[in-house]
Amino acid sequence: MLVEKSKVDQLIDLVNSRYFGWKGFEDDRFLEEERDYKVETVKRAKELLNETVLAGLIESKAYSELFERIEKIGKDNNLLFNSIPTSGDLRLLFSTKINKEAFSKEFFNLLYGSGSSEERLEKFCNFVEKSGEKSYWTFPTYFLFIVYPESEYFVKPSVVSWFANFFGFAFSRKPDARSYKLLKDYSFELMKALSDFNPKDMIDIQSFIWVAYRESIGKIILPQKKKEFGKFFNEFLEEYFNTEKGQAHFQEYESCRKQGRKNFEYVLKEWEKGNDITDLVLKKLLPYDQNSAEKDPDVWNHVAPAVNIYIKKEI
């Protein structure tokens, strides 16, 4: 496995675009926005979800209290989506298909059972599927991450899919041991590549990847997508833009822009006079199609219309 230096440098540049002059994982801005609150959740989890506590709750059949503790840690920060309990990342806790006793034992095994974390993850997800619910990445990996921040990774599918595409490895949308192991392997390789910046654990690496992902939107085009875009763009040039019809269409934009500027100046003057400009805004500042312009010559006729009927009439 090879985490290419050029790729790592791109990620560092992205993090720098968020934290200008970023020198490492001790950057105060990074700590405040990305690390400190996760560390606080880890501390609370050690109190509420440690092995001894969970074993005692299961032995005394205090399943409702165990569920409450899971929910409290799940809502301790903004990593999970919790706005709608029955469809959020903690939805398993509210499922009518899930047996509380069985779930409590499987949750315990997810965190403290035998076997590797990848095997325990897959076993837990198999239990969820057999219970009649769909398995998903966020719930089990969140709690693995919070209980074992030194070794486990929290999977947000959109972020991890981006990370996998960036480094060119396959990642399943459905939780499985192979994908989780591969993700962890790449994460640890990235951690080694970032050793000069002194990362401490997977909290730093997960945060680093999240920041890079967020900053990458609109900034990075993967090679495959760039190739696809080039193909479609060349087709567009050949089949439309460079044709007589395409050039005629293109030339119309300048006249539309000039008319738009005139319309704006006119509306502004009427507003400064204290006149009601409602109709003027709707007619002069919204781009109408040819049919609308033929019916009402006062509207702004545009080569790239967004409106095909007078909005005020519809309202």
Side-chain angles (χ1 to χ4, degrees), residues 39-312:
V39 171
E40 289 303 312
T41 299
V42 169
K43 292 178 182 177
R44 294 186 187 97
K46 287 181 179 179
E47 297 176 5
L48 297 178
L49 297 178
N50 68 66
E51 185 174 0
T52 302
V53 167
L54 291 190
L57 291 173
I58 292 172
E59 184 177 358
S60 61
K61 300 185 185 301
Y63 305 123
S64 293
E65 182 181 343
L66 192 151
F67 270 52
E68 288 174 4
R69 287 170 178 252
I70 295 172
E71 183 179 0
K72 186 171 183 179
I73 295 300
K75 291 181 176 179
D76 197 58
N77 54 60
N78 63 359
L79 290 178
L80 296 179
F81 171 71
N82 290 311
S83 298
I84 307 174
T86 55
S87 61
D89 288 329
L90 293 174
R91 58 185 176 273
L92 293 178
L93 300 179
F94 306 96
S95 171
T96 58
K97 299 176 183 178
I98 296 287
N99 176 277
K100 283 193 172 185
E101 179 180 356
F103 180 90
S104 298
K105 293 177 179 179
E106 291 297 335
F107 182 79
F108 179 88
N109 288 332
L110 169 69
L111 298 183
Y112 304 112
S114 60
S116 67
S117 60
E118 300 87 46
E119 293 169 339
R120 303 197 309 268
L121 168 73
E122 192 161 284
K123 188 171 181 282
F124 178 83
C125 291
N126 288 339
F127 161 75
V128 171
E129 295 279 347
K130 289 177 181 177
S131 299
E133 292 286 357
K134 289 184 178 181
S135 61
Y136 54 100
W137 282 106
T138 48
F139 184 93
T141 59
Y142 171 82
F143 288 99
L144 284 170
F145 173 68
I146 293 301
V147 173
Y148 302 105
E150 69 282 355
S151 62
E152 304 305 317
Y153 194 95
F154 170 54
V155 177
K156 274 281 192 182
S158 58
V159 180
V160 171
S161 292
W162 172 85
F163 179 66
N165 286 331
F166 186 77
F167 279 107
F169 67 91
F171 187 81
S172 172
R173 298 290 291 184
K174 184 176 181 180
D176 64 57
R178 184 203 64 81
S179 290
Y180 190 52
K181 175 67 164 57
L182 193 57
L183 169 64
K184 287 173 58 179
D185 287 345
Y186 269 90
S187 298
F188 277 108
E189 286 294 314
L190 177 61
M191 190 174 188
K192 291 178 184 177
L194 293 169
S195 60
D196 289 344
F197 297 91
N198 299 315
K200 291 175 283 298
D201 49 29
M202 284 295 109
I203 293 179
D204 279 344
I205 299 305
Q206 183 271 338
S207 301
F208 178 87
I209 293 171
W210 158 247
V211 172
Y213 162 78
R214 184 176 54 189
E215 293 299 310
S216 75
I217 298 173
K219 296 179 181 178
I220 285 184
I221 302 177
L222 297 174
Q224 182 181 353
K225 294 297 181 183
K226 187 181 292 187
K227 184 177 180 180
E228 290 177 6
F229 174 79
K231 176 186 174 183
F232 292 133
F233 184 70
N234 288 331
E235 288 180 4
F236 163 72
L237 291 178
E238 181 179 347
E239 298 179 12
Y240 183 74
F241 187 76
N242 290 333
T243 65
E244 184 178 342
K245 182 179 180 181
Q247 283 299 300
H249 185 107
F250 177 69
Q251 295 302 324
E252 289 184 57
Y253 276 93
E254 182 57 30
S255 62
C256 288
R257 281 193 289 269
K258 288 180 179 179
Q259 186 61 53
R261 283 192 288 267
K262 288 182 180 179
N263 290 350
F264 176 77
E265 291 169 1
Y266 175 69
V267 172
L268 183 61
K269 287 179 180 178
E270 292 299 309
W271 175 74
E272 290 172 345
K273 293 176 183 177
N275 296 330
D276 182 1
I277 60 171
T278 303
D279 283 330
L280 290 176
V281 169
L282 294 176
K283 289 186 176 184
K284 299 293 187 184
L285 301 185
L286 296 179
Y288 286 82
D289 64 3
Q290 182 64 39
N291 290 333
S292 299
E294 290 176 356
K295 294 177 182 178
D296 187 345
D298 289 334
V299 303
W300 182 24
N301 181 17
H302 200 284
V303 67
V307 185
N308 60 10
I309 190 169
Y310 183 42
I311 291 178
K312 190 173 181 181

